[in-house]
Amino acid sequence: MTEYTPENIRNVLLISHSGAGKTSLIEAMLYKAKMISRMGKVEEGNTVMDYEPEEIQRKTSISLSLAYLDWKGTKMNLIDTPGYSDFQGEIIGALRAADAALLVVCAASGVEIGTENMWRLAQEYSLPLILLVNKIDRENADLPKVLTQLRESFGENIVVVGKDIIAGKEGKEEEREKLLEALADVSDTLLEKYINGEEITEEEIEETLSKGIKSRQIFPLLVVSAFTDEGIEELLDFIVRYLPSPLERENLKGMAPGNGEEIEIKTIDEEPLCAFVFKTVTDPYVGKLSYIRVFSGILEPDTVVMNVNKNTQQKIGQTYWLIGKQQKVVGRVHSGDICAVPKLTETSTGDTLCYPSRLVMLPPLRYPDPVYQLAIVPKSREDEEKLSSGLNRLMEEDPSFRWWRDNDIKQTVIAGMGDVHLEVTVEKLKRKFGVDVELSLPKVPYRETIRKSASAQGKYKRQTGGHGQYGDVWLLVEPLERGAGFEFVNKIVGGVIPRQYIPSVEKGVQKALEEGILAGYPVVDVRVTLYDGSYHPVDSSDIAFQIAASIGFKNAARLADPVLLEPIMNIVVSVPKMFTGDVIGGLNSKRGRILGMESESHLIDRVIAQVPLAEMLKYAIELRSITGGRGTFTMSFSHYEEVPPHIAQQIMESSRKEEG
């Protein structure tokens, strides 16, 4: 087995808007490097990288996948990622694992929302980047138009490169001039030669271009066609010649567990091991497979490592290089390389693995918060028993997916980046773990309260032969300020109710609070005072006073002007300025209050508002429609407010129908 040391490795992330052709491009690169014997097609569902049934069915990438190839003695690790915005959580780990990125743009479609988002992510993670205009064979391909769009969107330091331009062959003079201008900004020596009109050699161009790409002062553009094989060989040569090896990556900094000391991670074999899990794949039959980037040292098979995050030991059995789902057993894995390791049962995405000689923890990955939620109900008892286990395994695989049991609404809730994300997750839940479920919008956690004080009696008397049941209370209910919760006051004097029954009264009131008085929602922000009552020396009991208290509270609360409350959410929407008016209008139509607007950049506005949660359940889908996918938002709880009367009436009628 060939071993690749850091200088002979390139870790390359492929990113794009959905449909630009990343998966087909990798297929062409693998075929050109003779790693596969035939080229599959996305349309036919037989590509190496899109192998999951959900990807084959939709003809698009859904999950991150890996492939490697050998090109003239250099190992190229290719990381394929989804372009659809619902699955961008798959990209987060890959951004740390990669040393450079290929941003693929369709020659017909040009710059799209996904192109903008992926450019932003690559800049945020400081990745050197090559722009690839793919599908140049299309009838409606328009390279000059796409080039103009790219420069308008991302700047003039995008330069067309290629052997002809670098060599200065005829017909390419305008783009060569732009290349020389960009190179002059990188090198003072070239700047002086350029100004003086002196000849710049091909060797000087190559050397400065390499420096400019790695320092992110220049973003080269190549033209390819995955379908016709045009430009693929030149692309592979270009990656080897110009993209950084792991040795040229800026060293990561980790933290020593315990004392928090900062530790620099150097990408050399001689350093102690530091490896990072950037993706986890779960399968009920194969088990867990961890995708790992080795940042320093050498990962050896049949050794024991420490999972620093979990403070537990893990046995490294075999190590694999992957081409899609194909696994190739390898030996030791050098610093800078990427591999997969099976059966690390205690290890999750984001964990750092080290040998005990030096423990260091790399910073956690930052995943976007979910923006879309659905309630999930298992279809059968058998499904119910397997539900939580299946959801936990899927959450291990995809940290942008979350689930929890919401006791306020008594529903299990799943959350993700959009409707398609959750739809695919549910399909995986059924395929991988045999759990069949139904989905619906989650209920809104309404609350109930009162607006004035009132008193009422609660009396429970039952005679069934022998000992009966008897409890009698008089309760005063009073409203408290919003957010104050529940307060119980005992003002019984003279033993009209024995002391041992007072806790039973409070328990009965709390039960009634949970059951509600208008629509079955919990009652909040109320003080209940027990001030009178009576008892029977034989028939009184704890349960009798619980029931009496529940009756008394409901009687009093109905007289105390009860109202429904709804959760109000803080909303922050980041949106291109051209859509600001539409977004504000949309939030106003949802009973929202616009609190302010500020400029996030010269292109983006930030709209700040408060909106009832009931109006926001589908907002992730609506915002995507309004802005063409360019808008994002965050949402957090603010407070409860009274529901407008006409809406409250609808909620109460709906509640009665559910009960009936």
Side-chain angles (χ1 to χ4, degrees):
M1 172 62 61
T2 304
E3 291 191 11
Y4 296 90
T5 51
E7 65 273 14
N8 295 319
I9 295 172
R10 303 290 183 273
N11 296 311
V12 184
L13 172 66
L14 281 87
I15 50 179
S16 79
H17 185 87
S18 183
K22 298 182 304 299
T23 302
S24 298
L25 183 64
I26 291 178
E27 201 82 4
M29 294 166 77
L30 292 172
Y31 182 73
K32 177 64 71 174
K34 297 183 170 54
M35 303 301 290
I36 56 176
S37 58
R38 53 176 291 279
M39 281 183 57
K41 295 181 179 178
V42 172
E43 297 76 15
E44 296 175 6
N46 58 0
T47 63
V48 169
M49 305 302 273
D50 287 352
Y51 55 85
E52 290 202 336
E54 294 80 16
E55 295 176 311
I56 294 170
Q57 176 190 338
R58 287 175 171 76
K59 297 178 172 55
T60 189
S61 299
I62 287 172
S63 302
L64 177 153
S65 55
L66 295 178
Y68 80 97
L69 60 85
D70 182 296
W71 187 253
K72 301 177 181 178
T74 294
K75 181 178 185 242
M76 215 174 284
N77 291 312
L78 304 174
I79 309 174
D80 192 17
T81 59
Y84 191 66
S85 60
D86 274 25
F87 304 103
Q88 287 190 16
E90 293 284 323
I91 299 169
I92 302 302
L95 287 162
R96 178 172 292 178
D99 299 318
L102 305 183
L103 177 54
V104 184
V105 184
C106 175
S109 305
V111 175
E112 301 175 88
I113 175 58
T115 319
E116 297 171 1
N117 289 341
M118 296 304 165
W119 173 275
R120 176 181 53 79
L121 281 172
Q123 303 311 305
E124 184 180 332
Y125 282 78
S126 301
L127 289 179
L129 183 143
I130 296 175
L131 290 150
L132 286 181
V133 179
N134 189 25
K135 303 186 178 181
I136 197 64
D137 55 290
R138 290 276 183 93
E139 283 185 22
N140 53 348
D142 190 338
L143 181 59
K145 178 182 175 182
V146 173
L147 183 55
T148 300
Q149 287 180 345
L150 287 167
R151 284 174 172 156
E152 287 176 352
S153 300
F154 309 131
E156 290 297 321
N157 51 352
I158 293 173
V159 295
V160 180
V161 295
K163 294 175 182 176
D164 290 352
I165 293 174
I166 291 172
K169 294 185 178 178
E170 288 186 42
K172 305 288 184 181
E173 288 304 321
E174 181 183 346
E175 287 304 330
R176 190 172 195 271
E177 197 67 22
K178 287 184 179 292
L179 171 62
L180 293 176
E181 288 176 8
L183 294 174
D185 289 336
V186 176
S187 164
D188 291 340
T189 303
L190 256 65
L191 175 61
E192 188 175 336
K193 281 193 167 187
Y194 182 72
I195 292 173
N196 295 331
E198 298 177 28
E199 182 185 351
I200 299 174
T201 67
E202 192 172 327
E203 183 180 347
E204 288 175 317
I205 290 175
E206 290 179 351
E207 183 180 334
T208 308
L209 178 59
S210 177
K211 179 181 175 183
I213 292 170
K214 291 167 185 175
S215 64
R216 302 174 60 255
Q217 295 172 271
I218 293 176
F219 299 100
L221 182 145
L222 291 168
V223 179
V224 299
S225 168
F227 181 70
T228 65
D229 195 36
E230 179 181 347
I232 301 300
E233 184 170 346
E234 186 175 357
L235 169 62
L236 292 167
D237 286 338
F238 197 90
I239 290 171
V240 172
R241 172 65 181 85
Y242 293 104
L243 288 188
S245 74
L247 291 173
E248 298 168 289
R249 176 184 179 134
E250 183 180 347
N251 291 333
L252 281 177
K253 291 181 173 61
M255 183 183 70
N259 61 17
E261 177 192 351
E262 187 176 87
I263 298 175
E264 189 173 41
I265 312 300
K266 298 178 182 177
T267 307
I268 54 176
D269 287 349
E270 291 73 24
E271 281 276 296
L273 175 72
C274 178
F276 187 76
V277 180
F278 65 92
K279 169 70 178 173
T280 302
V281 178
T282 62
D283 188 282
Y285 305 107
V286 178
K288 184 187 287 188
L289 195 62
S290 301
Y291 293 0
I292 293 175
R293 162 73 190 252
V294 180
F295 280 105
S296 69
I298 297 176
L299 182 65
E300 299 272 4
D302 300 316
T303 58
V304 174
V305 299
M306 282 296 296
N307 181 321
V308 184
N309 300 72
K310 305 287 197 306
N311 193 27
T312 185
Q313 292 187 339
Q314 292 278 262
K315 173 71 181 296
I316 302 294
Q318 292 181 318
T319 55
Y320 297 128
W321 288 338
L322 300 180
I323 300 180
K325 66 179 177 181
Q326 303 168 23
Q327 301 175 350
K328 184 171 184 178
V329 177
V330 296
R332 58 184 190 162
V333 180
H334 287 263
S335 179
D337 206 352
I338 288 173
C339 67
V341 176
K343 300 177 181 178
L344 298 181
T345 54
E346 302 293 324
T347 295
S348 309
T349 301
D351 287 350
T352 307
L353 305 177
C354 301
Y355 290 138
S357 59
R358 184 190 68 176
L359 299 182
V360 57
M361 186 185 300
L362 293 175
L365 297 172
R366 302 189 308 274
Y367 285 90
D369 291 326
V371 296
Y372 186 65
Q373 299 179 7
L374 289 174
I376 183 170
V377 178
K379 287 188 176 181
S380 69
R381 175 66 67 91
E382 185 182 355
D383 292 322
E384 186 175 357
E385 292 171 353
K386 297 185 291 185
L387 179 63
S388 61
S389 173
L391 291 176
N392 282 333
R393 299 282 290 277
L394 290 172
M395 198 160 63
E396 280 187 346
E397 187 171 301
D398 178 7
S400 65
F401 166 73
R402 318 264 173 82
W403 80 275
W404 63 89
R405 178 68 185 176
D406 192 324
N407 293 323
D408 283 343
I409 57 176
K410 297 179 174 60
Q411 289 182 310
T412 298
V413 177
I414 58 175
M417 305 312 298
D419 53 331
V420 179
H421 184 199
L422 294 187
E423 181 183 303
V424 167
T425 301
V426 167
E427 289 174 11
K428 287 184 178 180
L429 184 64
K430 183 174 182 179
R431 174 175 63 85
K432 289 189 171 187
F433 307 105
V435 182
D436 216 353
V437 298
E438 293 177 344
L439 298 173
S440 63
L441 289 174
K443 295 175 183 176
V444 175
Y446 293 107
R447 295 288 185 267
E448 302 178 13
T449 195
I450 56 174
R451 290 192 288 196
K452 67 180 185 181
S453 302
S455 296
Q457 182 186 28
K459 191 170 186 178
Y460 181 66
K461 183 178 181 181
R462 187 175 180 186
Q463 195 69 40
T464 56
H467 288 310
Q469 296 287 348
Y470 184 90
D472 177 26
V473 299
W474 279 89
L475 301 174
L476 167 66
V477 297
E478 302 168 276
L480 296 176
E481 65 182 24
R482 195 76 69 237
F486 165 62
E487 184 180 334
F488 181 78
V489 180
N490 173 27
K491 286 194 175 180
I492 292 296
V493 294
V496 294
I497 297 176
R499 185 179 299 172
Q500 68 263 29
Y501 295 132
I502 304 302
S504 300
V505 174
E506 183 175 358
K507 190 174 181 180
V509 169
Q510 288 180 327
K511 187 173 187 299
L513 289 171
E514 294 171 3
E515 294 172 351
I517 46 182
L518 291 173
Y521 294 99
V523 181
V524 296
D525 306 334
V526 61
R527 177 189 293 122
V528 178
T529 302
L530 171 64
Y531 65 92
D532 202 358
S534 62
Y535 76 102
H536 189 281
V538 176
D539 292 346
S540 287
S541 65
D542 288 332
I543 190 64
F545 273 100
Q546 284 185 40
I547 295 171
S550 180
I551 294 169
F553 173 79
K554 291 179 179 178
N555 289 342
R558 291 189 186 102
L559 301 173
D561 195 10
V563 291
L564 271 178
L565 302 174
E566 63 180 344
I568 305 298
M569 312 303 287
N570 292 319
I571 309 297
V572 180
V573 186
S574 294
V575 60
K577 291 182 184 292
M578 70 182 82
F579 300 112
T580 302
D582 294 332
V583 166
I584 290 174
L587 293 175
N588 281 328
S589 72
K590 294 178 174 297
R591 302 188 282 129
R593 289 191 297 272
I594 306 301
L595 302 181
M597 190 186 77
E598 53 193 43
S599 184
E600 192 172 307
S601 70
H602 69 288
L603 296 175
I604 303 293
D605 280 336
R606 183 184 289 122
V607 180
I608 303 163
Q610 288 186 336
V611 188
L613 175 61
E615 303 285 347
M616 296 296 294
L617 298 178
K618 293 184 177 180
Y619 192 63
I621 301 170
E622 295 165 4
L623 182 63
R624 182 189 299 152
S625 175
I626 292 170
T627 66
R630 287 174 165 82
T632 61
F633 77 102
T634 60
M635 183 168 69
S636 60
F637 173 75
S638 174
H639 62 282
Y640 272 89
E641 284 183 8
E642 290 183 23
V643 180
H646 68 287
I647 297 176
Q649 190 62 38
Q650 295 171 7
I651 295 167
M652 288 186 283
E653 288 175 3
S654 175
S655 177
R656 283 193 289 269
K657 286 179 183 177
E658 286 183 14
E659 291 175 1

